[in-house]
Amino acid sequence: MSLRPIITVPNEILRKISEPVQKIGINEKKLIKDLFETMYNAKGIGLASIQIGIPKQIVVLDVSKENEKKKPYCLINPRIKKFSKDTSKYEEGCLSIPDTFIEIERPKEIYLEYIDENGKKKEIKCDGLLSTCIQHEIQHCEGKLIIDFLSKLKKDFIIKKIIKKKSSSDKIIV
Ligand code: ZN
């Protein structure tokens, strides 16, 4: 297993559309392990393969709290079959958009179809944080980011702030 660097905005790779996975072979299994390791290391609750630069429809998640038993999910080719009309709001952050939280309203419940890491087809219904997190990660597979929910002005402001921070962190005074 190895930690992979997480790609951040404004890197255009994040805008790529991820391809469905045809076969879960050795490379995919290694990728899934790396995704979990990278996500846990970054203290994130979800990570899509495109965030480490690989445009495959693979997402890992774990929304369990720190003192709870780990509850890892690996979703391959996830498809949302049904959204509820009810919505819920969360302040969402993203490992690819450092130090930024945006309140987003999304459908509260979803019916989801996916393939797990053993190639088994699954169907689940979920709500709350897990549902929000899955919707966020599936949007990564579609090249979408949470800043897309904002006006262009706000979006540009956030990106500029991140670029400024990135360039200033290279400077050192000894
Ligand atoms: Zn994200």
Side-chain angles (χ1 to χ4, degrees), residues 46-48 51 92-97 136-137 140 144-146:
L47 188 67
Q51 293 178 275
E92 295 183 32
C94 179
L95 292 173
S96 294
I97 312 170
H136 176 127
E137 297 310 327
H140 275 300
K144 291 187 193 133
L145 298 167
I146 50 171

Side-chain angles (χ1 to χ4, degrees), residues 120-153:
K120 231 174 131 188
K121 205 171 168 184
K122 295 209 167 163
E123 228 182 288
I124 55 167
K125 179 188 165 191
C126 51
D127 64 3
L129 183 58
L130 183 60
S131 162
T132 288
C133 192
I134 289 171
Q135 293 177 63
H136 176 127
E137 297 310 327
I138 288 179
Q139 288 192 326
H140 275 300
C141 297
E142 297 165 345
K144 291 187 193 133
L145 298 167
I146 50 171
I147 45 174
D148 300 343
F149 284 84
L150 301 172
S151 67
K152 192 179 178 303
L153 200 75

